[in-house]
């Protein structure tokens, strides 16, 4: 049974930083993604990492502010979020089990965590 468990969300003022983590069990994968979903909006891809970190991908809205990485010894992926803005407020989800297609499409992923809330105040 595959389980993805996110942690590390919280509330921060604009300009601050947070790091969210995702620990996986029941799966061995080299391709991960982070998505977010703001209230009343569709889920959108934020960042992805594959091949041990040799390739990373970012949505334009977070380039230069967010960094995705993974632990070397276990199935854990991180999203370091800097210079946070109120528009970054959302539930953040990690995804695994890529089935093909664009990484930024939620339908490309089989497994999801329960999400962790990130709230950025102005």
């Amino acid at each position: 049974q595959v389980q993805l468990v996110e942690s590390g969300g919280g509330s921060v003022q604009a300009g601050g930083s947070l790091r969210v983590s995702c620990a996986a069990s029941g799966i061995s994968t080299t391709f991960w993604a982070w998505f977010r979903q703001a209230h009343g909006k569709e889920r959108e891809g934020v960042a992805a990492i594959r091949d041990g970190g040799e390739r990373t991908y970012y949505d334009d809205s977070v380039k230069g502010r967010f960094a995705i990485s993974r632990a070397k010894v276990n199935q854990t992926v991180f999203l370091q979020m800097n210079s946070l803005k109120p528009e970054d407020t959302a539930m953040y989800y990690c995804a695994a089990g890529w089935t093909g297609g664009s990484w930024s499409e939620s339908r490309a992923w089989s497994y999801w965590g329960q999400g962790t809330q990130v709230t950025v105040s102005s």
Side-chain angles (χ1 to χ4, degrees):
Q1 181 180 357
V2 177
Q3 283 192 317
L4 304 177
V5 180
E6 299 97 337
S7 61
S11 297
V12 66
Q13 288 192 326
S17 298
L18 282 174
R19 188 177 82 156
V20 292
S21 304
C22 174
S25 60
I27 187 172
S28 179
T29 180
T30 60
F31 199 179
W32 304 72
W34 282 98
F35 281 73
R36 66 186 179 188
Q37 187 167 18
H39 183 67
K41 295 187 176 181
E42 292 188 357
R43 192 169 296 191
E44 62 177 2
V46 175
I49 186 169
R50 68 183 305 175
D51 301 334
E54 291 183 2
R55 285 190 276 180
T56 56
Y57 311 90
Y58 295 95
D59 183 76
D60 286 345
S61 65
V62 305
K63 278 181 181 176
R65 300 188 299 121
F66 289 13
I68 188 170
S69 61
R70 62 166 296 176
K72 294 182 179 179
V73 296
N74 56 21
Q75 295 286 293
T76 302
V77 65
F78 308 98
L79 185 68
Q80 177 67 42
M81 302 180 288
N82 300 323
S83 302
L84 283 161
K85 305 175 181 179
E87 51 263 44
D88 294 319
T89 295
M91 186 74 80
Y92 282 71
Y93 300 90
C94 71
W98 180 62
T99 60
S102 173
W103 71 267
S104 61
E105 297 285 340
S106 57
R107 61 189 175 190
W109 301 90
S110 297
Y111 305 109
W112 297 87
Q114 82 289 348
T116 185
Q117 179 68 37
V118 171
T119 302
V120 185
S121 59
S122 57

